[in-house]
Amino acid sequence: MVITIKLFAHLRHGRFKEDIRPWREGTRCGDIVRELGLRAGELGIVMVNGEHAPLDQALEPHDVLAIFPLVGGG
Amino acid sequence: MDKLIRVDLTHLTVRTEAVPEAWLGLGGRALTSAIVAAEVPPTCHPLGPNNKLVFAPGLLSGTSASNSGRLSAGAKSPLTGGIKESNVGGTAAQMFAKLGIKALIIEGIPEKDTWYGLHISREGVAIREDGTLQGLGNFAVLEALQARQARKLGVICIGPSGEYKLSGANISVKDPSGKLRSHGRGGLGAVMGSKRIKYLTIDDEGAQGLQMADPEAFKAASKVFTKALMEHPVSGQGLPTYGTNVLVNILNEAGGLPTRNFTYGQFDGHEQICGETMHETIVARGGKPRHGCHAGCVIQCSQVYNDAQGQYLTSGFEYETIWGLGANCCIKDLDDIATADNLMDDLGLDSIETAVAFGVAMEAGLLAWGDGKEVLRILREEIGKGTPLGRIIGSGAGSVGRAYGLTRVPVVKNQAIPAYDPRSVKGIGITYATTPMGADHTAGYTIATNILNVGGQVDPLKKDGQVELSRNLQIATAAVDSTGMCIFIAFPALDIPECLPALIDMINARFGTRLTGEDVTGLGKAVLKTERAFNLAAGLTPAHDRLPEFFRTDPVAPHQAVWDFTDEEVDAFWAF
């Protein structure tokens, strides 16, 4: 199944802004986080299709997974 | 001993007074709101002689506590018709505190048709008739005032917008690098203009300095507090690197980035204006990605943004302004937005109110969506010169909406709604609706918990828990706004258990008090209730604690969310 992954802020360094490619059925958010080499402490916000998602959420074909470090503003 | 200074412009007199006992434990917002509530008739005209303009440093301003240099300004707002407190960085708060000025109250209106300046020093306050700076932009005012004096002065001033008494006019305060920060919201610049005060200069040479009840305890608590600020990922790393503008991509992803005058929740030009792009641009052009708005700030969320030739273009270039002219007006050129930001600083305009007013003006067909160059022309040629059109736009989003008969006018209590769509980030909608300030995200920043996973997680798209979240944050914020602290200390305060107790320990060490966490919560509640009571007496009712109707009827993409709180649910906010 094809998943779009978007990275933000310093998570882009040495990786990418956006990556669209096939993943095996049943892949969870956490699997992709691990594959990208992201440490737990680096993670701030994980969204699937614009909604906050837990790491154990299973992805569906054509889902958009967005990963942000802990940042804020105002 | 700290004092109140009262400047009476009707009689051109200055009086120094002891601080009444009831106000001894107050500072910042708690004090400006207490003074306005006690002394300003709620039904007075905000631009008439019975309104008062009050400045007060926070309880910890002037100490070595990190991030404690905020100055509060308060008055009845010409924009909302209710009470207003707006706080700012810059150098003035620390100077006021060192001079022992707990609050400066400016009242009355001069008889003569001329302009005045106030000079504040250890000798007291001198009223000077001075029409020489009339009509000048803020940057020229800063330069002219500094040229008269060898020592570094604090400056508080208004630009042409304040002189024109536009409801979008701010009050500018000089920052440590000689540029400007703003008491942005609620048209306080118009109140200062109505009193015909163009500027205040502050010289703290030979000031008495601060008395500290327990210097050792203060030092110990201050260390713990600073450590918490440095260790939290948001205040310690995220904000210093990307500034507030990192939010563009986050809100865009969450579908909460108001776009095209609050028609959509996502902007196709987000990558051109986002914090990541801005950071790369600043670094490539030799600007400064880190910059503090006041001495003692360890977060340094601000920045200096240069043009393509490497020349200074603007600083203090924030998410709100970039969103407002970017996504909300569909302008994709960050340099145009930066130029507009600098112009708004120079003219003395609130960059939230004005950017949202431009979005409404685009909806009215006054200029094309995305036309950054025309925004710059209107700023310079219309608002800057006080033309009729300039005055309509410079008086805010509500003003433009009324003049052009529009219904999609994003305001609460006539104050423009900031950079988070309340349909898809529902907690902030409760804050916009209920805060006595009119739509103001900083009054109870639920984005922290709705979107950023700070202080827990409350689903932004559901109604559950939003009223309680907004209430708790508004109470805490009213207290923090009284300490002189930057609101960004809320990020560590929500997550790191030692942070808030250390803040209270610092207050106790400064004043020799024995305040507890409960007392501080009590202070926050009292501030909100004082402000609310003023508004009710001024004629604002629960019917003004409402979002504009279009948020109920027009779903916002991509979640197709609508504002679905009942009036009773919103009014339950005040059950405390």
Side-chain angles (χ1 to χ4, degrees), chain A residues 6 8-10 12-13 17 44-47 49-52 64 66 68 70-74, chain B residues 233-234 239 242 246-247 249-250 253 271 276 420 441 445 450-453 457 461 488 491 559:
Chain A
K6 298 185 195 172
F8 296 92
H10 61 78
R12 289 176 172 180
H13 296 169
K17 274 189 198 176
I45 308 160
V46 176
M47 289 188 216
N49 305 329
E51 295 192 37
H52 290 75
V64 177
F68 299 84
L70 255 180
V71 286
Chain B
V234 173
L239 278 167
Y242 294 102
V246 75
L247 290 174
N249 278 339
I250 300 176
E253 195 62 31
E271 269 298 323
E276 290 89 339
Y420 312 90
H441 60 297
Y445 191 65
N450 280 157
I451 299 290
L452 303 171
N453 292 352
Q457 230 287 309
L461 292 163
F488 287 162
F491 291 114
H559 300 298

Side-chain angles (χ1 to χ4, degrees), chain B residues 248-268 270 319 323 327 419-421 423-425 555-561:
Chain B
V248 164
N249 278 339
I250 300 176
L251 269 298
N252 186 69
E253 195 62 31
L257 185 73
T259 298
R260 204 176 160 107
N261 190 31
F262 287 78
T263 303
Y264 311 111
Q266 291 179 319
F267 179 45
D268 63 4
H270 66 96
Y319 167 62
W323 153 78
Y420 312 90
D421 198 299
R423 290 164 289 194
S424 40
V425 193
V556 67
H559 300 298
Q560 304 311 324

Side-chain angles (χ1 to χ4, degrees), chain B residues 25-44:
Chain B
L26 306 181
R29 175 175 171 184
L31 188 54
T32 62
S33 287
I35 294 173
V36 171
E39 300 192 0
V40 174
T43 52
C44 76

Side-chain angles (χ1 to χ4, degrees), chain B residues 428-443:
Chain B
I428 202 71
I430 297 292
T431 297
Y432 294 156
T434 55
T435 167
M437 296 298 138
D440 178 352
H441 60 297
T442 66

Side-chain angles (χ1 to χ4, degrees), chain A residues 1-6 19-21 23 27 29 32 47-50 53 57-66, chain B residues 253:
Chain A
M1 61 179 180
V2 172
I3 302 290
T4 300
I5 304 165
K6 298 185 195 172
D19 177 68
I20 305 171
R21 64 178 166 102
W23 291 79
T27 297
C29 298
I32 295 181
M47 289 188 216
V48 175
N49 305 329
Q57 180 168 322
L59 292 162
E60 304 283 334
H62 308 295
D63 273 353
V64 177
L65 171 67
Chain B
E253 195 62 31

Side-chain angles (χ1 to χ4, degrees), chain B residues 344-361:
Chain B
M344 288 188 282
D345 278 352
D346 199 35
L347 295 171
L349 283 169
D350 175 17
S351 62
I352 298 179
E353 192 66 46
T354 310
V356 177
F358 272 113
V360 178

